Amino acid sequence: MPALGHYPTMAAEQRNYIDGEWTEAETEETMTVTNPASPAEVVASYQSSSAADAARAIEAAAGAADEWAATPAPERGQILTETSRILADRKDELTELLVREEGKTTGEAGGEVQRAIDIFSYYGAKASDLGGTVKSASGPRTNLYTVTEPLGVVGLITPWNYPIAIPAWKLAPALVTGNAAVLKPASEAPGVAHAIFEALDEAGLPDGAANFVTGSGSTVGTELVTSEEVDAISFTGSTAVGTTVYDQATEDGKRVQLEMGGKNPTIVSDSADVEEAAEIVASGAFGVTGQACTACSRAIVHTDIYDEFVDAVAAEADAIEPGPGIEGSDMGPHVSEDELEGTLEYIDIAQEDGASLVAGGNELDREGYYVEPTVFADVEPSMRLAQEEVFGPVLAVLEVEDFEDALEVANGVDYGLSASIVTDNHTEANRFIDEIEAGVAKVNAKTTGLELHVPFGGMKGSSSETWREQGDEGLEFYTIEKTVYDNY
């Protein structure tokens, strides 16, 4: 790892960013973030903000909204492009910070930081193309066209599992379309989101156009969701919390975008190469410690290759060496003790329900929040392990008789975020694309991994099914269209 330029040598106290100033919370209280690979190590402390702090940030955004909206879009884009450059200069430092706060491996963290860099660059370039459309009027001497306008003030609530990529893909389209924003990051790993605001400030973002407030969801998040000054909410997190956010936000007519949980399947056809399928499934299931909303949680495997696949995917799991991400390990720790305990509880439940443990299943006897990559066979579709989101490196392998049965099992959950199939049968691949109930469908690929210039979102309990994120659709959520009839 190259020498660091900005990273503090001692645990630092980080502040909120409100109206262009780094400020302490009125509570005068802070919360500490520790390294999940070494829980005794305090990485940094952050403000434990009150509802009043959140209200000040909202007020700052409301005060800046009109001027920021009036700023030419290419000028807004230049600020995002410069933000991308600043983040790129700090990539090594931010990668290490992400590893130390969230627990990813260095490779995973570096890829995520690069995604944030690329997102700001992408939307910075898109700024020059923003605008409406011109249509032909049915009568003479009439110009008929549309213009797009920002919504005003947007509240952004982001999770800990992608602590820089998700803030980036909400902030960049919100800002480039002329909205003022308030971001509340998850308390487990807010450091890299804090760094985004350092970069925005250095890039010349006007005071109040973007604000950063740390604190609990029940306090800061609720203030964002219920404030009359906030015009829209974009939330990523659990389905349980997202449902509450939706109910509260829509009560006063806010526009709402929700991206929530998943129970993502990979169907393995009898035509698949078993070793290749096992590699694809294992990568999707155990990458980022299974702490991804798009992680593969269920392998749905044709009976003719079931036993061979179970052996192969168990071998993949056994070959993974968990350990501190900073040391080049294959898989990092859970982000917190609570998350680890949740995963261990599901491992116990699966065994009580009659599933067969074929790999892993044990907490590691070492410092940090580690569990072995875990594979269960003989899982029935009705078992909790096959129905509920675990959010850890635990794979359920289900046996099916044919492709029809596989589709039924894949769709037989409350979620519909990402799904994949491994097959050499072109008909199966096309039927899968047509019939799978998921917002992301992949053929011969893992369920994780997203391109930034195409829409992302789920179906059923994985999404509000209202607005997509990323790409051009990521811009649409933050704008409203006005139709103009200009008779001359």
Side-chain angles (χ1 to χ4, degrees):
M1 177 68 63
L4 305 180
H6 294 76
Y7 195 82
T9 56
M10 298 179 62
E13 180 179 322
Q14 307 291 9
R15 299 182 179 184
N16 292 332
Y17 184 72
I18 299 175
D19 205 15
E21 299 288 339
W22 297 102
T23 64
E24 294 181 353
E26 71 159 23
T27 61
E28 299 182 353
E29 296 178 357
T30 60
M31 54 190 185
T32 58
V33 173
T34 60
N35 184 343
S38 181
E41 176 195 343
V42 175
V43 180
S45 63
Y46 298 88
Q47 302 301 307
S48 183
S49 305
S50 66
D53 293 311
R56 284 199 302 116
I58 294 167
E59 181 181 358
D66 288 346
E67 182 177 349
W68 180 239
T71 302
E75 186 176 334
R76 298 195 296 259
Q78 289 170 5
I79 292 174
L80 266 63
T81 300
E82 179 64 8
T83 299
S84 174
R85 186 198 63 77
I86 294 166
L87 292 173
D89 286 345
R90 298 180 61 183
K91 180 180 177 181
D92 290 335
E93 165 207 345
L94 297 181
T95 296
E96 181 173 342
L97 176 57
L98 200 161
V99 171
R100 295 178 69 200
E101 284 199 344
E102 196 270 349
K104 283 185 171 72
T105 67
T106 299
E108 292 165 346
E112 183 182 342
V113 173
Q114 187 61 51
R115 170 57 63 94
I117 293 165
D118 293 344
I119 286 168
F120 276 99
S121 176
Y122 171 78
Y123 282 112
K126 294 289 287 185
S128 296
D129 293 331
L130 296 178
T133 58
V134 177
K135 300 292 185 180
S136 296
S138 57
R141 298 188 300 279
T142 300
N143 293 322
L144 181 63
Y145 59 96
T146 66
V147 294
T148 55
E149 297 180 350
L151 299 177
V153 176
V154 297
L156 313 176
I157 302 173
T158 59
W160 53 260
N161 62 323
Y162 284 92
I164 191 167
I166 294 178
W169 81 45
K170 292 184 189 295
L171 268 170
L175 292 174
V176 80
T177 50
N179 296 276
V182 181
L183 174 75
K184 192 211 88 66
S187 299
E188 290 84 352
V192 281
H194 184 279
I196 290 177
F197 284 80
E198 293 175 332
L200 286 167
D201 182 73
E202 185 178 340
L205 187 75
D207 295 349
N211 305 271
F212 172 87
V213 184
T214 53
S216 71
S218 60
T219 301
V220 176
T222 298
E223 183 66 24
L224 285 176
V225 171
T226 60
S227 171
E228 294 182 357
E229 295 285 345
V230 175
D231 300 291
I233 292 288
S234 180
F235 168 89
T236 299
S238 71
T239 300
V241 176
T243 301
T244 300
V245 166
Y246 187 86
D247 290 342
Q248 291 177 331
T250 55
E251 196 169 298
D252 63 356
K254 287 183 178 62
R255 183 178 290 191
V256 182
Q257 177 186 66
L258 303 179
E259 294 305 335
M260 302 180 287
K263 192 66 182 172
N264 310 296
T266 296
I267 293 174
V268 181
S269 167
D270 59 345
S271 67
D273 179 279
V274 173
E275 294 297 327
E276 179 186 14
E279 291 175 7
I280 289 171
V281 169
S283 180
F286 307 129
V288 296
T289 320
Q291 297 178 134
C293 55
T294 55
C296 178
S297 186
R298 298 176 294 151
I300 302 169
V301 184
H302 193 284
T303 187
D304 288 352
I305 60 169
Y306 183 81
D307 291 339
E308 185 182 358
F309 176 85
V310 169
D311 290 342
V313 81
E316 292 282 341
D318 289 338
I320 294 171
E321 292 289 340
I326 209 72
E327 296 177 4
S329 302
D330 299 327
M331 188 183 85
H334 281 68
V335 72
S336 68
E337 185 175 11
D338 284 347
E339 291 295 328
L340 172 62
E341 289 177 351
T343 295
L344 293 173
E345 181 179 359
Y346 271 106
I347 290 172
D348 290 341
I349 289 169
Q351 293 177 92
E352 291 168 3
D353 287 347
S356 300
L357 179 65
V358 297
N362 299 305
E363 181 180 359
L364 297 189
D365 185 18
R366 62 174 300 165
E367 183 184 22
Y369 308 127
Y370 295 97
V371 67
E372 296 170 326
T374 300
V375 179
F376 281 97
D378 304 319
V379 179
E380 297 296 328
S382 60
M383 290 181 181
R384 289 181 62 184
L385 187 66
Q387 291 290 323
E388 299 176 13
E389 185 175 38
V390 178
F391 226 65
V394 180
L395 175 69
V397 188
L398 298 91
E399 185 174 3
V400 292
E401 295 294 326
D402 54 32
F403 179 71
E404 302 290 341
D405 191 16
L407 272 177
E408 182 178 353
V409 172
N411 289 332
V413 295
D414 292 335
Y415 300 98
L417 187 54
S418 182
S420 72
I421 186 170
V422 185
T423 182
D424 284 340
N425 185 314
H426 196 60
T427 299
E428 285 182 349
N430 280 280
R431 281 198 58 197
F432 168 81
I433 292 167
D434 289 342
E435 299 178 39
I436 193 69
E437 295 170 358
V440 176
K442 295 188 171 187
V443 177
N444 296 324
K446 62 184 179 179
T447 57
T448 53
L450 303 168
E451 297 276 2
L452 63 84
H453 58 291
V454 291
F456 169 65
M459 298 178 179
K460 301 193 288 190
S462 294
S463 171
S464 54
E465 297 188 338
T466 49
W467 308 86
R468 294 307 198 212
E469 296 192 280
Q470 304 198 111
D472 288 335
E473 286 77 1
L475 299 167
E476 291 176 2
F477 173 71
Y478 297 102
T479 58
I480 193 164
E481 202 162 41
K482 180 184 292 181
T483 303
V484 178
Y485 296 78
D486 177 15
N487 297 316
Y488 59 90

